[in-house]
Amino acid sequence: NAGVMQNPRHLVRRRGQEARLRCSPMKGHSHVYWYRQLPEEGLKFMVYLQKENIIDESGMPKERFSAEFPKEGPSILRIQQVVRGDSAAYFCASSPPSLDGNYGYTFGSGTRLTVV
Amino acid sequence: KQEVTQIPAALSVPEGENLVLNCSFTDSAIYNLQWFRQDPGKGLTSLLLIQSSQREQTSGRLNASLDKSSGRSTLYIAASQPGDSATYLCASDTGRRALTFGSGTRLQVQP
């Protein structure tokens, strides 16, 4: 089991460009979550998705940010027209469907976005 | 709104010491609480998960306890080693599946 796979590990974008971050959940996990860790700050929840559905996007900035988890393929976090303040580590986590038992959350290694 | 606080923010101890990391949360209606380890520039590694109906969980030299009534969890590390040096994060889940993280405790174990 390869765990939660995120790519790229590092991404450099110029201001105004688009950033696309990918996340493949663990095998058997159908729930995906995105978190952002700004420099010297804690992790903040952004969005929770199931296949083809956004369940909770209460932590997503209202503009420029979007997320999807299509029926086939990885989950994508998309940031349009990036600004320097978007520079952060973006982590993806996944979990199985059931809330019972010791399901826990498994995190990926993150994508470190630098906007220059 | 759930708030999670971790103290101390940083801790430096000599190898072999037993130590306790503290985590407090404001909303006691949690579904579970999870402890993670984060190494510099790396992702999060899950250490222990405590369900709301449980009082503690143990894994090797690690023991985590949960007291919902007082809004506290502690992570106990026995016989610390230099390889334990990392940032330790606690996170609460109120059932919405949106974890609320503390800011972490940066641990340095001196050889």
Side-chain angles (χ1 to χ4, degrees), chain A residues 34-103:
Chain A
W34 287 93
Y35 289 80
R36 178 166 67 173
Q37 187 173 36
L38 293 167
E40 304 304 321
E41 292 189 21
L43 280 88
K44 304 293 185 186
F45 168 80
M46 298 181 75
V47 62
Y48 160 33
L49 309 105
Q50 296 178 24
K51 287 282 187 181
E52 301 184 283
N53 279 304
I54 297 175
I55 306 302
D56 182 351
E57 56 181 349
S58 58
M60 287 278 273
K62 298 298 182 210
E63 299 178 348
R64 302 187 297 107
F65 285 72
S66 63
E68 63 176 5
F69 189 15
K71 186 176 180 180
E72 301 290 338
S75 175
I76 305 288
L77 179 67
R78 181 183 179 202
I79 311 172
Q80 295 178 290
Q81 300 175 330
V82 296
V83 301
R84 287 219 171 107
D86 296 333
S87 296
Y90 292 83
F91 291 96
C92 171
S94 71
S95 74
S98 174
L99 282 175
D100 298 325
N102 292 326
Y103 67 95

Side-chain angles (χ1 to χ4, degrees), chain A residues 9 31 33 35 37 42-45 48 56 58 91 95-105 107-110 112, chain B residues 31-32 34 36 38-46 49 51 54 57 89 93 95-103 106:
Chain A
R9 292 293 302 276
H31 296 220
Y33 317 81
Y35 289 80
Q37 187 173 36
L43 280 88
K44 304 293 185 186
F45 168 80
Y48 160 33
D56 182 351
S58 58
F91 291 96
S95 74
S98 174
L99 282 175
D100 298 325
N102 292 326
Y103 67 95
Y105 297 90
F107 278 76
S109 297
R112 279 147 188 87
Chain B
Y31 194 80
N32 61 45
Q34 195 163 358
F36 297 88
Q38 184 175 27
D39 293 280
K42 302 289 181 62
L44 279 69
T45 301
S46 179
L49 170 74
Q51 298 288 353
Q54 297 173 325
Q57 283 284 348
L89 301 166
D93 183 1
R96 287 180 47 239
R97 295 187 180 237
L99 293 178
T100 302
F101 281 86
S103 297
R106 292 187 304 278

Side-chain angles (χ1 to χ4, degrees), chain B residues 40-97:
Chain B
K42 302 289 181 62
L44 279 69
T45 301
S46 179
L47 298 174
L48 290 165
L49 170 74
I50 313 175
Q51 298 288 353
S52 63
S53 58
Q54 297 173 325
R55 284 293 192 122
E56 64 178 342
Q57 283 284 348
T58 298
S59 176
R61 294 182 295 108
L62 306 179
N63 175 277
S65 66
L66 176 64
D67 185 343
K68 286 176 53 180
S69 61
S70 65
R72 292 180 181 177
S73 176
T74 60
L75 179 66
Y76 176 82
I77 303 177
S80 58
Q81 303 171 357
D84 294 332
S85 299
T87 295
Y88 290 80
L89 301 166
C90 70
S92 75
D93 183 1
T94 56
R96 287 180 47 239
R97 295 187 180 237

